[in-house]
């Protein structure tokens, strides 16, 4: 089944991030503790990102414009990009966290950390997907930029909404809410680049 | 071409991973602050959980391990992978509270760390490297319990007092 508009893309990406983050949090969190000592937890983070990427890739396959990308390669590339993105983001986030003065306003300090880390997650996913898309999409060069911007805004917005606004519905569903907010921003941003492909 | 590029991406990933190491544990305590605990029981033994606290510089360590008793009044999960417990301390332990704790309704904050993979980027790797977070369940709202943990002041949140991380706990029989 294909949803023939870029709004469908946004929906698929939002669901993919939300479901992927939720599944990965509970499955990897429950089963991957034996991986924790390996490379200081990096293999654990890699597993966490790859599982998120598998679900995102599958969800986006339902909405990708016909003839734009080979779905088998898409499903391979997205988890690799997400795994790399989450590993690099965890390193960037940790370095920034230990560099930024903790007495700095928490909104500014944490905002900078989460936005920068989200950009790195977007870079990983966007770059891997661009490798698959670049021949099928006329404006493919903007894919990486859109993914970086969506990741940065999404990660920053998700952290801010959950930290600053005491909304019981979101707090009670912390993990899926975080994934959905992140996915919404990435989906809208990527969808704007994909929009012409739906008109072809 | 695509497969080759993805392979290169995987190699970059592994090389980044190999260059990463766990960060050192923050263990500094301030002498004057340490006296605040007074006659409280500070003889408990820390576990290894303190080294899995992210951004350790945000927490000012007062005592390496303190034992308290009180009633859990709320429990919530946080994006940093910690669980945030509010504990109404029994009277002998209320000396541990600071003015900042009024922002939490006069309760002590108790945080078992790394209860699930964090969403917050600065905590992801640190928690991922924790092989043995405090498991076996946490106290529920309304439970009267004893708890042992590191006594700190949170510089990012009004310098309120916390047990962070929580090392162990148990029910107090009525």
């Amino acid at each position: 089944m294909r949803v023939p508009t870029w709004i469908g893309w946004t929906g698929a990406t939002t669901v993919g991030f939300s479901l992927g983050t939720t599944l990965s949090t509970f499955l990897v969190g429950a089963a991957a503790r034996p991986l924790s000592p390996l490379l200081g937890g990096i293999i654990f983070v890699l597993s966490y990102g790859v599982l998120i990427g598998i679900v995102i890739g599958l969800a986006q396959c339902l909405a990708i414009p016909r003839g734009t990308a080979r779905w088998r390669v898409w499903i391979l590339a997205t988890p690799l990009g997400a795994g790399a993105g989450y590993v690099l983001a965890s390193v960037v986030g940790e370095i920034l966290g230990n560099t930024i003065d903790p007495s700095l306003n928490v909104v500014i300090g944490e905002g900078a950390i989460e936005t920068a880390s989200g950009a790195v997650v977007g870079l990983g996913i966007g770059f891997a997907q661009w490798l698959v898309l670049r021949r099928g999409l006329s404006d493919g060069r903007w894919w990486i930029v859109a993914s970086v911007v969506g990741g940065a805004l999404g990660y920053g917005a998700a952290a801010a909404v959950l930290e600053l606004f005491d909304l019981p519905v979101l707090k009670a569903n912390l993990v899926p809410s975080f994934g959905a907010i992140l996915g919404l921003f990435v989906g809208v941003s990527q969808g704007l680049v994909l929009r012409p492909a739906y008109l072809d | 071409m695509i497969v080759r590029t993805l392979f290169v991406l995987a190699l970059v990933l592994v090389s980044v991973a190999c260059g990463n190491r766990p960060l050192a544990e923050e263990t500094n305590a301030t002498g004057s602050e340490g006296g605040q605990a007074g006659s409280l029981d500070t003889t408990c033994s820390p576990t290894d959980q303190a080294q899995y606290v992210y951004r350790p510089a945000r927490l000012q360590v007062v005592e390496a391990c303190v034992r308290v008793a009180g009633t859990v009044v709320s429990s919530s999960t946080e994006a940093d992978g910690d669980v945030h417990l509010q504990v109404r301390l029994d009277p002998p332990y209320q000396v541990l509270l600071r003015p900042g704790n009024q922002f939490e309704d006069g309760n002590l904050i108790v945080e078992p760390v790394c209860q699930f993979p964090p969403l917050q980027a600065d905590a992801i790797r640190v928690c991922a490297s924790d092989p043995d977070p405090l498991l076996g369940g946490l106290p529920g709202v309304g439970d009267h319990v004893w708890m042992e943990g590191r006594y700190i002041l949170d510089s990012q949140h009004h310098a309120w007092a916390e047990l962070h991380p929580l090392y162990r706990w148990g029910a107090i029989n009525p």
Side-chain angles (χ1 to χ4, degrees):
Chain A
M1 187 186 78
R2 289 180 185 276
V3 183
T5 69
W6 69 277
I7 295 172
W9 176 266
T10 301
T13 305
T14 303
V15 170
F17 267 91
S18 181
L19 194 58
T21 306
T22 305
L23 277 176
S24 192
T25 294
F26 292 107
L27 290 181
V28 174
R33 281 293 163 199
L35 300 177
S36 290
L38 303 176
L39 300 176
I42 290 292
I43 302 301
F44 185 110
V45 180
L46 179 64
S47 309
Y48 174 73
V50 165
L51 184 50
I52 293 174
I54 289 172
V55 180
I56 295 170
L58 288 170
Q60 289 182 328
C61 265
L62 299 174
I64 199 164
R66 291 176 196 279
T68 309
R70 286 173 293 166
W71 67 270
R72 287 187 184 86
V73 186
W74 186 268
I75 289 175
L76 174 68
T78 305
L80 288 177
Y86 274 95
V87 166
L88 292 173
S90 72
V91 174
V92 168
E94 188 173 353
I95 291 171
L96 287 176
N98 290 315
T99 304
I100 294 175
D101 184 348
S103 64
L104 185 68
N105 180 289
V106 69
V107 175
I108 297 171
E110 282 295 336
I113 293 167
E114 303 310 321
T115 302
S117 303
V120 176
V121 170
L123 177 64
I125 294 173
F127 179 74
Q129 292 183 332
W130 170 78
L131 294 174
V132 184
L133 271 179
R134 57 186 172 160
R135 290 194 184 117
L137 192 65
S138 56
D139 280 334
R141 65 185 182 280
W142 289 105
W143 190 260
I144 298 174
V145 175
S147 302
V148 168
V149 170
L153 294 177
Y155 225 98
V161 165
L162 294 170
E163 173 73 20
L164 300 178
F165 303 105
D166 198 16
L167 300 173
V169 174
L170 297 183
K171 279 279 192 184
N173 300 283
L174 181 76
V175 178
S177 300
F178 191 100
I181 296 169
L182 173 58
L184 178 64
F185 278 85
V186 174
V188 167
S189 189
Q190 289 182 334
L192 292 173
V193 179
L194 266 186
R195 200 171 180 178
Y198 287 109
L199 303 175
D200 291 343
Chain B
M1 176 62 183
I2 290 172
V3 173
R4 194 173 62 189
T5 309
L6 291 175
F7 179 70
V8 170
L9 193 64
L11 280 180
V12 170
L13 181 66
V14 170
S15 63
V16 167
C18 289
N20 205 28
R21 292 289 182 273
L23 295 170
E25 178 181 359
E26 170 69 44
T27 56
N28 291 335
T30 56
S32 58
E33 297 288 349
Q36 186 69 26
S39 60
L40 294 172
D41 183 356
T42 59
T43 60
C44 58
S45 301
T47 67
D48 68 347
Q49 287 299 287
Q51 67 184 291
Y52 302 112
V53 172
Y54 73 98
R55 292 189 80 183
R58 73 200 154 96
L59 307 181
Q60 180 189 353
V61 179
V62 182
E63 289 286 351
C65 191
V66 169
R67 184 182 179 106
V68 303
T71 302
V72 177
V73 296
S74 78
S75 173
S76 61
T77 52
E78 300 289 317
D80 58 8
D82 300 350
V83 170
H84 184 109
L85 301 169
Q86 281 189 332
V87 178
R88 172 67 62 188
L89 291 175
D90 291 350
Y93 301 97
Q94 289 181 359
V95 65
L96 290 172
L97 298 173
R98 295 302 176 92
N101 288 85
Q102 290 308 313
F103 289 95
E104 293 283 311
D105 300 324
N107 297 309
L108 183 72
I109 306 306
V110 179
E111 297 204 20
V113 300
C114 302
Q115 294 296 295
F116 60 92
L119 303 159
Q120 201 172 302
D122 44 354
I124 291 175
R125 208 268 328 154
V126 176
C127 271
S129 67
D130 182 358
D132 56 352
L134 182 66
L135 297 175
L138 294 172
V141 173
D143 290 350
H144 189 213
V145 294
W146 60 264
M147 294 174 151
E148 291 180 353
R150 189 175 64 166
Y151 178 46
I152 63 91
L153 305 180
D154 185 342
S155 65
Q156 284 190 313
H157 295 102
H158 313 288
W160 64 43
E162 299 182 355
L163 291 193
H164 190 157
L166 174 67
Y167 292 136
R168 57 187 73 82
W169 68 277
I172 297 176
N173 294 324

